[in-house]
Amino acid sequence: MEHMTLLIGIVIATALVFDFTNGFHDTANAMATTISTGALKPKTAVAMAAVLNLVGAFLSVAVAKTISGGIIDESAGVKPEMIFAALVGAIVWNMLTWLAGLPSSSSHALFGGLIGATLVAVGRHGVHGEAVVMKVLIPALAAPIVAGLASTLATRLSYRLGRNADPAATAKGYRAGQIASAGLVSLAHGTNDAQKTMGVITLALITGGVVAPHADPPLWVIVSAGAAIALGTYIGGWRIIRTMGKGLTDIQPQQGFAAQTGAAATILASSHLGFALSTTQVCSGSVMGAGLGRKGAVVRWSTAGRMVAAWGLTLPAAGLVAAGAALLTDQGTWGVVTVAVAGLAICAAIRTAARRKPITHTNVNDEPAAADATATEPQGAVTAAIAAVIPPPVGVPGTTPAPTA
Amino acid sequence: MSIDWHALGTVLAVTLLSTVGLVGVFTLGVVGLARPAAAAARGGAYVCFAACAAAVAWGIWLIVAK
Protein backbone atom coordinates (compact mmCIF):
# COMPACT_ATOMS: atom_id res chain seq x y z
CA MET A 1 0.00 0.00 0.00
CA GLU A 2 3.05 2.25 -0.30
CA HIS A 3 1.76 3.91 -3.47
CA MET A 4 -1.45 4.89 -1.66
CA THR A 5 0.30 6.96 0.93
CA LEU A 6 0.48 10.22 -0.99
CA LEU A 7 -3.22 10.10 -1.92
CA ILE A 8 -4.23 9.28 1.64
CA GLY A 9 -2.06 12.14 2.81
CA ILE A 10 -3.90 14.48 0.45
CA VAL A 11 -7.27 13.20 1.68
CA ILE A 12 -6.24 13.76 5.31
CA ALA A 13 -5.01 17.27 4.55
CA THR A 14 -8.25 18.04 2.71
CA ALA A 15 -10.29 16.66 5.61
CA LEU A 16 -8.44 18.95 8.00
CA VAL A 17 -9.10 21.90 5.68
CA PHE A 18 -12.79 21.00 5.72
CA ASP A 19 -12.66 20.79 9.51
CA PHE A 20 -11.12 24.25 9.57
CA THR A 21 -13.88 25.70 7.35
CA ASN A 22 -16.41 23.89 9.52
CA GLY A 23 -14.93 25.62 12.56
CA PHE A 24 -15.08 29.18 11.26
CA HIS A 25 -18.40 28.59 9.56
CA ASP A 26 -19.96 27.48 12.83
CA THR A 27 -18.44 29.91 15.32
CA ALA A 28 -21.63 31.87 14.83
CA ASN A 29 -23.78 29.07 16.23
CA ALA A 30 -22.57 29.40 19.76
CA MET A 31 -21.24 32.91 19.80
CA ALA A 32 -23.21 35.16 17.43
CA THR A 33 -25.77 36.33 19.96
CA THR A 34 -23.21 36.33 22.78
CA ILE A 35 -21.17 38.80 20.74
CA SER A 36 -24.09 40.93 19.54
CA THR A 37 -25.53 41.44 23.03
CA GLY A 38 -22.09 42.33 24.36
CA ALA A 39 -22.04 39.45 26.85
CA LEU A 40 -18.50 38.69 25.71
CA LYS A 41 -15.99 40.66 23.66
CA PRO A 42 -15.68 39.20 20.13
CA LYS A 43 -12.14 37.88 20.62
CA THR A 44 -12.92 36.42 24.05
CA ALA A 45 -16.02 34.73 22.67
CA VAL A 46 -14.22 33.00 19.80
CA ALA A 47 -11.36 31.97 22.09
CA MET A 48 -13.82 30.39 24.52
CA ALA A 49 -15.66 28.63 21.68
CA ALA A 50 -12.34 27.34 20.31
CA VAL A 51 -11.23 25.89 23.64
CA LEU A 52 -14.61 24.23 24.25
CA ASN A 53 -14.63 22.83 20.71
CA LEU A 54 -11.23 21.28 21.38
CA VAL A 55 -12.39 19.86 24.71
CA GLY A 56 -15.55 18.54 23.06
CA ALA A 57 -13.49 16.74 20.43
CA PHE A 58 -11.88 14.62 23.14
CA LEU A 59 -15.06 13.79 25.03
CA SER A 60 -16.29 10.93 22.91
CA VAL A 61 -15.73 9.15 19.60
CA ALA A 62 -19.24 7.77 19.20
CA VAL A 63 -20.11 9.94 16.20
CA ALA A 64 -16.76 9.34 14.50
CA LYS A 65 -17.45 5.61 14.26
CA THR A 66 -20.56 6.12 12.18
CA ILE A 67 -19.34 8.99 10.07
CA SER A 68 -21.72 8.71 7.21
CA GLY A 69 -24.51 7.67 9.55
CA GLY A 70 -25.47 4.84 7.22
CA ILE A 71 -26.20 7.32 4.44
CA ILE A 72 -23.68 5.79 2.12
CA ASP A 73 -22.90 2.12 1.92
CA GLU A 74 -19.31 2.04 3.08
CA SER A 75 -18.89 -1.55 1.93
CA ALA A 76 -19.91 -0.75 -1.65
CA GLY A 77 -16.37 0.22 -2.59
CA VAL A 78 -15.40 3.56 -1.07
CA LYS A 79 -12.11 4.82 -2.45
CA PRO A 80 -9.88 7.61 -1.14
CA GLU A 81 -10.40 9.52 -4.42
CA MET A 82 -14.12 9.59 -3.70
CA ILE A 83 -13.68 10.91 -0.18
CA PHE A 84 -11.38 13.55 -1.61
CA ALA A 85 -14.02 14.61 -4.14
CA ALA A 86 -16.67 14.73 -1.42
CA LEU A 87 -14.50 16.94 0.77
CA VAL A 88 -13.73 19.33 -2.08
CA GLY A 89 -17.47 19.72 -2.74
CA ALA A 90 -18.15 20.40 0.93
CA ILE A 91 -15.30 22.91 1.26
CA VAL A 92 -16.28 24.86 -1.87
CA TRP A 93 -19.89 25.20 -0.67
CA ASN A 94 -18.80 26.19 2.83
CA MET A 95 -16.56 28.92 1.40
CA LEU A 96 -19.30 30.24 -0.91
CA THR A 97 -21.91 30.47 1.85
CA TRP A 98 -19.32 32.09 4.13
CA LEU A 99 -18.67 34.74 1.46
CA ALA A 100 -22.42 35.40 1.35
CA GLY A 101 -22.52 35.46 5.16
CA LEU A 102 -25.17 32.74 5.22
CA PRO A 103 -25.27 30.26 8.09
CA SER A 104 -25.64 26.96 6.24
CA SER A 105 -24.99 23.53 7.60
CA SER A 106 -21.44 22.19 7.36
CA SER A 107 -22.74 18.71 8.10
CA HIS A 108 -25.15 18.89 5.17
CA ALA A 109 -22.30 20.06 2.96
CA LEU A 110 -20.29 17.01 4.00
CA PHE A 111 -23.26 14.65 3.55
CA GLY A 112 -24.08 16.24 0.19
CA GLY A 113 -20.49 15.82 -0.91
CA LEU A 114 -20.41 12.18 0.15
CA ILE A 115 -23.72 11.45 -1.59
CA GLY A 116 -22.70 13.21 -4.81
CA ALA A 117 -19.32 11.52 -4.99
CA THR A 118 -20.84 8.10 -4.19
CA LEU A 119 -23.55 8.42 -6.85
CA VAL A 120 -20.91 9.09 -9.50
CA ALA A 121 -18.19 6.70 -8.36
CA VAL A 122 -20.26 3.76 -7.09
CA GLY A 123 -23.78 4.27 -8.41
CA ARG A 124 -27.28 4.47 -6.97
CA HIS A 125 -26.91 1.38 -4.80
CA GLY A 126 -24.14 3.08 -2.84
CA VAL A 127 -26.60 5.53 -1.27
CA HIS A 128 -29.30 4.55 1.21
CA GLY A 129 -32.23 6.72 0.16
CA GLU A 130 -34.27 6.00 3.27
CA ALA A 131 -31.40 6.96 5.56
CA VAL A 132 -31.04 10.24 3.67
CA VAL A 133 -34.70 11.10 4.31
CA MET A 134 -34.76 9.89 7.89
CA LYS A 135 -31.40 11.17 9.06
CA VAL A 136 -30.92 14.30 7.01
CA LEU A 137 -34.12 15.69 5.49
CA ILE A 138 -36.54 15.22 8.41
CA PRO A 139 -34.18 16.58 11.08
CA ALA A 140 -33.39 19.46 8.71
CA LEU A 141 -37.07 20.40 8.62
CA ALA A 142 -37.87 19.64 12.24
CA ALA A 143 -34.81 20.97 14.06
CA PRO A 144 -35.14 24.71 13.36
CA ILE A 145 -38.89 24.55 14.04
CA VAL A 146 -38.47 22.73 17.36
CA ALA A 147 -35.65 25.04 18.47
CA GLY A 148 -37.52 28.11 17.28
CA LEU A 149 -40.72 27.11 19.07
CA ALA A 150 -38.84 26.39 22.30
CA SER A 151 -37.01 29.70 22.32
CA THR A 152 -40.16 31.68 21.35
CA LEU A 153 -42.01 30.26 24.34
CA ALA A 154 -39.00 30.68 26.63
CA THR A 155 -38.54 34.30 25.53
CA ARG A 156 -42.23 35.05 26.14
CA LEU A 157 -42.11 33.47 29.58
CA SER A 158 -38.90 35.25 30.49
CA TYR A 159 -40.25 38.67 29.51
CA ARG A 160 -43.48 37.96 31.38
CA LEU A 161 -41.77 36.90 34.58
CA GLY A 162 -39.36 39.80 34.45
CA ARG A 163 -41.81 42.49 33.32
CA ASN A 164 -41.56 44.42 36.59
CA ALA A 165 -37.80 44.08 36.95
CA ASP A 166 -35.35 46.82 36.08
CA PRO A 167 -33.74 45.89 32.71
CA ALA A 168 -30.41 47.40 33.72
CA ALA A 169 -30.23 45.31 36.89
CA THR A 170 -31.17 42.04 35.17
CA ALA A 171 -29.11 42.36 31.97
CA LYS A 172 -25.94 41.27 33.74
CA GLY A 173 -27.59 38.07 34.98
CA TYR A 174 -28.91 37.19 31.52
CA ARG A 175 -25.48 37.82 30.01
CA ALA A 176 -23.94 35.39 32.50
CA GLY A 177 -26.60 32.82 31.63
CA GLN A 178 -25.95 33.41 27.96
CA ILE A 179 -22.24 32.73 28.36
CA ALA A 180 -22.99 29.45 30.12
CA SER A 181 -25.47 28.24 27.53
CA ALA A 182 -23.20 29.34 24.67
CA GLY A 183 -20.46 27.26 26.27
CA LEU A 184 -22.75 24.25 26.24
CA VAL A 185 -23.50 24.76 22.54
CA SER A 186 -19.75 25.00 21.79
CA LEU A 187 -19.05 21.81 23.67
CA ALA A 188 -21.83 19.95 21.87
CA HIS A 189 -20.53 21.31 18.57
CA GLY A 190 -17.04 19.99 19.30
CA THR A 191 -18.31 16.53 20.11
CA ASN A 192 -20.40 16.41 16.93
CA ASP A 193 -18.56 18.22 14.18
CA ALA A 194 -14.93 17.56 15.05
CA GLN A 195 -15.84 13.90 15.13
CA LYS A 196 -17.28 13.96 11.64
CA THR A 197 -13.83 14.86 10.33
CA MET A 198 -12.20 12.24 12.53
CA GLY A 199 -14.59 9.75 10.98
CA VAL A 200 -13.68 10.85 7.45
CA ILE A 201 -9.95 10.57 8.14
CA THR A 202 -10.41 7.17 9.77
CA LEU A 203 -12.47 6.04 6.79
CA ALA A 204 -9.67 7.14 4.45
CA LEU A 205 -7.12 5.30 6.58
CA ILE A 206 -9.27 2.15 6.51
CA THR A 207 -9.76 2.26 2.73
CA GLY A 208 -6.00 2.70 2.35
CA GLY A 209 -5.37 -0.28 4.61
CA VAL A 210 -3.43 1.79 7.14
CA VAL A 211 -5.70 0.88 10.05
CA ALA A 212 -7.97 -2.10 10.51
CA PRO A 213 -11.69 -1.80 9.69
CA HIS A 214 -13.95 -0.75 12.60
CA ALA A 215 -10.97 0.67 14.46
CA ASP A 216 -11.21 3.68 16.73
CA PRO A 217 -9.66 6.83 15.32
CA PRO A 218 -5.93 6.93 16.24
CA LEU A 219 -4.93 9.56 18.79
CA TRP A 220 -3.14 11.78 16.26
CA VAL A 221 -6.37 11.91 14.23
CA ILE A 222 -8.35 13.08 17.26
CA VAL A 223 -5.72 15.67 18.14
CA SER A 224 -5.35 17.07 14.62
CA ALA A 225 -9.11 17.15 13.94
CA GLY A 226 -9.76 18.87 17.27
CA ALA A 227 -6.98 21.36 16.62
CA ALA A 228 -8.21 22.14 13.08
CA ILE A 229 -11.78 22.87 14.19
CA ALA A 230 -10.58 24.89 17.18
CA LEU A 231 -8.27 26.96 14.98
CA GLY A 232 -11.08 27.59 12.50
CA THR A 233 -13.37 28.58 15.34
CA TYR A 234 -10.79 30.98 16.71
CA ILE A 235 -10.27 32.64 13.32
CA GLY A 236 -14.00 33.26 13.46
CA GLY A 237 -16.48 33.43 10.60
CA TRP A 238 -17.29 37.07 11.27
CA ARG A 239 -19.50 37.41 8.21
CA ILE A 240 -21.82 34.70 9.47
CA ILE A 241 -21.63 35.94 13.06
CA ARG A 242 -22.92 39.29 11.89
CA THR A 243 -25.82 37.72 10.00
CA MET A 244 -26.88 35.61 12.94
CA GLY A 245 -26.21 38.15 15.67
CA LYS A 246 -27.53 41.25 13.91
CA GLY A 247 -29.00 40.33 10.54
CA LEU A 248 -31.92 38.11 11.48
CA THR A 249 -33.32 40.09 14.38
CA ASP A 250 -32.22 42.45 17.15
CA ILE A 251 -31.23 40.40 20.14
CA GLN A 252 -31.33 41.55 23.77
CA PRO A 253 -29.46 39.62 26.48
CA GLN A 254 -32.68 38.04 27.69
CA GLN A 255 -33.51 36.78 24.20
CA GLY A 256 -29.96 35.65 23.59
CA PHE A 257 -30.11 33.58 26.73
CA ALA A 258 -33.42 32.00 25.73
CA ALA A 259 -32.13 31.31 22.21
CA GLN A 260 -28.90 29.67 23.38
CA THR A 261 -30.67 27.56 25.96
CA GLY A 262 -33.20 26.42 23.37
CA ALA A 263 -30.41 25.53 20.95
CA ALA A 264 -28.43 23.63 23.58
CA ALA A 265 -31.54 21.73 24.69
CA THR A 266 -32.47 20.78 21.12
CA ILE A 267 -28.97 19.60 20.25
CA LEU A 268 -28.61 17.56 23.43
CA ALA A 269 -32.10 16.05 23.30
CA SER A 270 -31.87 15.00 19.68
CA SER A 271 -28.28 13.78 19.62
CA HIS A 272 -29.05 11.75 22.73
CA LEU A 273 -31.95 10.15 20.84
CA GLY A 274 -29.81 9.49 17.79
CA PHE A 275 -30.78 12.28 15.41
CA ALA A 276 -27.78 13.81 13.70
CA LEU A 277 -28.95 17.35 13.17
CA SER A 278 -27.33 20.49 11.98
CA THR A 279 -26.10 22.73 14.78
CA THR A 280 -26.34 25.68 12.41
CA GLN A 281 -30.00 25.19 11.62
CA VAL A 282 -30.90 24.67 15.26
CA CYS A 283 -29.14 27.87 16.31
CA SER A 284 -30.56 29.97 13.48
CA GLY A 285 -34.01 28.63 14.27
CA SER A 286 -33.73 29.50 17.92
CA VAL A 287 -32.44 33.01 17.15
CA MET A 288 -35.48 33.55 14.93
CA GLY A 289 -37.70 32.16 17.65
CA ALA A 290 -36.25 34.53 20.22
CA GLY A 291 -36.92 37.38 17.80
CA LEU A 292 -40.55 36.32 17.46
CA GLY A 293 -40.95 35.94 21.20
CA ARG A 294 -40.30 39.56 22.13
CA LYS A 295 -42.97 42.12 21.36
CA GLY A 296 -41.62 44.84 19.12
CA ALA A 297 -38.58 42.91 17.93
CA VAL A 298 -37.87 43.16 14.21
CA VAL A 299 -37.47 39.87 12.38
CA ARG A 300 -35.89 40.35 8.97
CA TRP A 301 -37.69 37.80 6.87
CA SER A 302 -35.72 38.58 3.71
CA THR A 303 -32.46 37.56 5.39
CA ALA A 304 -34.19 34.54 6.87
CA GLY A 305 -35.50 33.61 3.43
CA ARG A 306 -32.04 33.77 1.88
CA MET A 307 -30.74 31.63 4.70
CA VAL A 308 -33.44 28.98 4.29
CA ALA A 309 -32.81 28.94 0.53
CA ALA A 310 -29.13 28.28 1.28
CA TRP A 311 -30.15 25.41 3.55
CA GLY A 312 -32.19 23.85 0.77
CA LEU A 313 -29.36 24.28 -1.73
CA THR A 314 -26.57 22.98 0.53
CA LEU A 315 -27.09 19.27 -0.02
CA PRO A 316 -27.60 19.34 -3.82
CA ALA A 317 -24.97 22.03 -4.43
CA ALA A 318 -22.22 20.35 -2.45
CA GLY A 319 -23.31 17.08 -4.04
CA LEU A 320 -23.06 18.53 -7.53
CA VAL A 321 -19.56 19.92 -6.98
CA ALA A 322 -18.49 16.63 -5.43
CA ALA A 323 -20.02 14.66 -8.29
CA GLY A 324 -18.05 16.72 -10.81
CA ALA A 325 -14.91 16.27 -8.76
CA ALA A 326 -15.55 12.52 -8.49
CA LEU A 327 -15.83 12.28 -12.29
CA LEU A 328 -12.39 13.84 -12.58
CA THR A 329 -10.71 11.94 -9.75
CA ASP A 330 -11.91 8.69 -11.33
CA GLN A 331 -9.67 9.46 -14.29
CA GLY A 332 -6.54 8.84 -12.28
CA THR A 333 -3.71 10.95 -10.98
CA TRP A 334 -4.15 13.87 -13.37
CA GLY A 335 -7.80 14.09 -12.35
CA VAL A 336 -6.92 14.28 -8.66
CA VAL A 337 -4.34 16.96 -9.39
CA THR A 338 -6.84 18.94 -11.48
CA VAL A 339 -9.44 18.80 -8.69
CA ALA A 340 -6.88 19.84 -6.10
CA VAL A 341 -5.68 22.79 -8.19
CA ALA A 342 -9.24 23.86 -9.05
CA GLY A 343 -10.30 23.60 -5.41
CA LEU A 344 -7.37 25.72 -4.25
CA ALA A 345 -8.04 28.28 -7.00
CA ILE A 346 -11.73 28.59 -6.04
CA CYS A 347 -10.87 29.02 -2.36
CA ALA A 348 -8.26 31.66 -3.22
CA ALA A 349 -10.76 33.51 -5.43
CA ILE A 350 -13.38 33.50 -2.66
CA ARG A 351 -10.82 34.76 -0.18
CA THR A 352 -9.90 37.58 -2.51
CA ALA A 353 -13.56 38.47 -2.99
CA ALA A 354 -14.06 38.48 0.78
CA ARG A 355 -11.12 40.85 1.23
CA ARG A 356 -12.99 43.54 -0.68
CA LYS A 357 -15.54 43.87 2.11
CA PRO A 358 -13.73 42.52 5.12
CA ILE A 359 -15.72 41.77 8.25
CA THR A 360 -13.57 41.17 11.32
CA HIS A 361 -13.91 41.23 15.07
CA THR A 362 -13.59 45.02 14.92
CA ASN A 363 -16.72 45.70 12.88
CA VAL A 364 -18.80 42.57 13.47
CA ASN A 365 -21.38 44.37 15.57
CA ASP A 366 -21.95 47.23 13.13
CA GLU A 367 -25.38 47.41 11.62
CA PRO A 368 -25.29 45.34 8.40
CA ALA A 369 -26.88 48.09 6.28
CA ALA A 370 -24.53 50.81 7.47
CA ALA A 371 -21.49 48.60 7.08
CA ASP A 372 -22.54 47.59 3.57
CA ALA A 373 -23.02 51.21 2.60
CA THR A 374 -19.46 52.11 3.48
CA ALA A 375 -18.02 48.87 2.21
CA THR A 376 -19.51 49.18 -1.27
CA GLU A 377 -17.09 52.02 -1.90
CA PRO A 378 -14.01 50.51 -3.54
CA GLN A 379 -11.53 52.94 -1.94
CA GLY A 380 -13.08 53.21 1.52
CA ALA A 381 -10.56 55.55 3.09
CA VAL A 382 -10.40 57.95 0.17
CA THR A 383 -14.16 58.21 -0.34
CA ALA A 384 -14.71 58.57 3.37
CA ALA A 385 -12.28 61.48 3.41
CA ILE A 386 -14.00 63.07 0.41
CA ALA A 387 -17.43 62.51 1.95
CA ALA A 388 -16.25 64.23 5.09
CA VAL A 389 -15.37 67.46 3.29
CA ILE A 390 -18.12 67.74 0.68
CA PRO A 391 -21.88 67.77 1.39
CA PRO A 392 -23.69 64.45 0.91
CA PRO A 393 -24.67 63.76 -2.69
CA VAL A 394 -28.27 63.26 -3.78
CA GLY A 395 -27.99 59.48 -4.02
CA VAL A 396 -27.21 57.88 -0.70
CA PRO A 397 -24.53 55.20 -1.19
CA GLY A 398 -26.47 52.73 0.89
CA THR A 399 -29.40 52.65 -1.51
CA THR A 400 -27.35 51.43 -4.47
CA PRO A 401 -26.87 47.68 -4.69
CA ALA A 402 -23.34 46.40 -4.31
CA PRO A 403 -21.83 46.34 -7.80
CA THR A 404 -18.77 44.32 -6.95
CA ALA A 405 -18.29 40.92 -5.26
CA MET B 1 -40.47 4.25 4.57
CA SER B 2 -41.60 4.96 8.09
CA ILE B 3 -41.14 8.23 9.89
CA ASP B 4 -40.23 7.82 13.52
CA TRP B 5 -42.92 10.10 14.93
CA HIS B 6 -42.33 8.87 18.44
CA ALA B 7 -38.70 10.00 18.48
CA LEU B 8 -39.61 13.32 16.87
CA GLY B 9 -42.32 13.89 19.43
CA THR B 10 -39.95 13.03 22.27
CA VAL B 11 -37.36 15.51 21.01
CA LEU B 12 -40.04 18.19 20.74
CA ALA B 13 -41.42 17.55 24.24
CA VAL B 14 -38.02 17.28 25.93
CA THR B 15 -36.72 20.40 24.21
CA LEU B 16 -39.80 22.48 25.00
CA LEU B 17 -39.95 21.41 28.63
CA SER B 18 -36.26 21.79 29.36
CA THR B 19 -35.86 25.12 27.55
CA VAL B 20 -38.94 26.78 29.01
CA GLY B 21 -38.20 25.30 32.43
CA LEU B 22 -34.56 26.37 32.49
CA VAL B 23 -35.20 29.85 31.15
CA GLY B 24 -38.13 30.30 33.54
CA VAL B 25 -36.17 29.21 36.60
CA PHE B 26 -33.17 31.31 35.60
CA THR B 27 -35.38 34.35 35.01
CA LEU B 28 -36.86 33.93 38.49
CA GLY B 29 -33.34 33.88 39.87
CA VAL B 30 -32.28 36.99 37.97
CA VAL B 31 -35.45 38.86 38.96
CA GLY B 32 -34.97 37.79 42.59
CA LEU B 33 -31.42 39.11 42.63
CA ALA B 34 -32.47 42.38 41.05
CA ARG B 35 -34.84 43.08 43.94
CA PRO B 36 -32.88 45.15 46.41
CA ALA B 37 -32.57 44.14 50.08
CA ALA B 38 -34.90 41.16 50.25
CA ALA B 39 -33.17 38.23 51.95
CA ALA B 40 -35.83 35.69 50.97
CA ALA B 41 -35.65 36.73 47.31
CA ARG B 42 -31.85 36.42 47.42
CA GLY B 43 -32.00 32.93 48.87
CA GLY B 44 -34.61 31.90 46.35
CA ALA B 45 -32.45 33.27 43.56
CA TYR B 46 -29.48 31.13 44.60
CA VAL B 47 -31.71 28.05 44.70
CA CYS B 48 -32.79 28.85 41.15
CA PHE B 49 -29.21 29.25 39.94
CA ALA B 50 -28.21 26.00 41.64
CA ALA B 51 -31.04 24.20 39.84
CA CYS B 52 -29.83 25.63 36.52
CA ALA B 53 -26.24 24.60 37.24
CA ALA B 54 -27.44 21.09 38.02
CA ALA B 55 -29.34 20.96 34.73
CA VAL B 56 -26.23 22.11 32.81
CA ALA B 57 -24.07 19.52 34.60
CA TRP B 58 -26.58 16.87 33.60
CA GLY B 59 -26.40 18.13 30.00
CA ILE B 60 -22.60 17.80 29.99
CA TRP B 61 -22.89 14.35 31.50
CA LEU B 62 -25.26 13.42 28.64
CA ILE B 63 -22.64 14.54 26.09
CA VAL B 64 -19.83 12.61 27.77
CA ALA B 65 -21.80 9.45 28.44
CA LYS B 66 -23.09 9.15 24.88
Side-chain angles (χ1 to χ4, degrees):
Chain A
M1 284 292 163
E2 277 304 307
H3 63 285
M4 295 291 285
T5 316
L6 179 62
L7 183 57
I8 303 252
I10 294 173
V11 172
I12 291 169
T14 320
L16 291 176
V17 171
F18 169 75
D19 210 17
F20 178 79
T21 65
N22 189 343
F24 75 71
H25 213 273
D26 291 5
T27 321
N29 295 341
M31 289 305 168
T33 58
T34 319
I35 290 170
S36 71
T37 61
L40 283 175
K41 290 216 171 67
K43 275 281 175 191
T44 321
V46 292
M48 178 181 150
V51 169
L52 287 171
N53 260 318
L54 190 60
V55 171
F58 285 92
L59 283 183
S60 107
V61 287
V63 177
K65 286 175 128 179
T66 58
I67 154 62
S68 66
I71 286 163
I72 59 165
D73 190 350
E74 284 157 13
S75 61
V78 176
K79 287 179 295 183
E81 292 93 331
M82 223 185 83
I83 302 172
F84 175 64
L87 286 167
V88 169
I91 292 171
V92 166
W93 184 249
N94 257 357
M95 290 294 284
L96 275 174
T97 46
W98 165 72
L99 179 65
L102 291 172
S104 67
S105 166
S106 302
S107 320
H108 282 189
L110 183 60
F111 288 150
L114 281 171
I115 292 170
T118 311
L119 280 178
V120 167
V122 179
R124 266 205 58 87
H125 66 275
V127 179
H128 295 305
E130 188 163 329
V132 173
V133 173
M134 204 46 221
K135 297 207 170 183
V136 182
L137 295 185
I138 290 178
L141 286 174
I145 296 173
V146 169
L149 198 63
S151 64
T152 307
L153 294 176
T155 308
R156 285 237 171 104
L157 176 75
S158 181
Y159 274 95
R160 236 194 122 62
L161 288 175
R163 66 189 180 281
N164 294 327
D166 173 22
T170 52
K172 206 177 154 210
Y174 293 124
R175 290 206 178 105
Q178 215 188 341
I179 294 169
S181 50
L184 208 55
V185 174
S186 289
L187 203 63
H189 183 253
T191 52
N192 279 302
D193 283 23
Q195 284 190 53
K196 282 176 194 139
T197 307
M198 288 177 211
V200 170
I201 296 176
T202 312
L203 189 61
L205 291 174
I206 291 170
T207 56
V210 181
V211 299
H214 307 295
D216 273 350
L219 184 65
W220 64 266
V221 172
I222 300 177
V223 172
S224 54
I229 203 165
L231 189 65
T233 308
Y234 183 69
I235 297 290
W238 302 107
R239 309 177 91 81
I240 300 173
I241 292 175
R242 179 188 278 174
T243 304
M244 262 175 98
K246 290 272 173 190
L248 288 174
T249 177
D250 303 308
I251 291 280
Q252 293 181 350
Q254 208 165 347
Q255 289 169 290
F257 170 61
Q260 297 290 40
T261 311
T266 314
I267 295 167
L268 289 181
S270 56
S271 62
H272 193 65
L273 284 160
F275 279 105
L277 44 69
S278 156
T279 328
T280 312
Q281 295 180 352
V282 168
C283 293
S284 324
S286 66
V287 168
M288 292 291 288
L292 290 172
R294 176 166 71 92
K295 280 194 193 111
V298 183
V299 176
R300 293 187 191 85
W301 291 106
S302 61
T303 309
R306 286 203 306 150
M307 182 181 77
V308 172
W311 291 354
L313 279 175
T314 296
L315 207 71
L320 217 60
V321 177
L327 268 183
L328 277 171
T329 54
D330 253 7
Q331 310 302 313
T333 311
W334 68 267
V336 176
V337 172
T338 313
V339 170
V341 170
L344 284 174
I346 291 172
C347 290
I350 292 174
R351 234 182 96 73
T352 315
R355 281 262 169 97
R356 289 197 190 148
K357 289 201 259 173
I359 299 176
T360 65
H361 65 97
T362 53
N363 65 350
V364 66
N365 275 344
D366 296 352
E367 285 304 317
D372 282 351
T374 52
T376 46
E377 306 290 329
Q379 269 87 39
V382 179
T383 39
I386 295 168
V389 287
I390 50 173
V394 188
V396 184
T399 54
T400 53
T404 51
Chain B
M1 191 176 312
S2 61
I3 296 174
D4 194 348
W5 290 110
H6 179 71
L8 277 179
T10 315
V11 170
L12 178 67
V14 170
T15 306
L16 282 183
L17 282 178
S18 54
T19 308
V20 174
L22 256 177
V23 171
V25 170
F26 193 85
T27 305
L28 285 179
V30 169
V31 172
L33 268 194
R35 208 175 275 182
R42 257 195 124 65
Y46 287 124
V47 171
C48 291
F49 291 139
C52 290
V56 170
W58 186 63
I60 293 174
W61 180 80
L62 274 188
I63 300 177
V64 178
K66 192 173 57 161

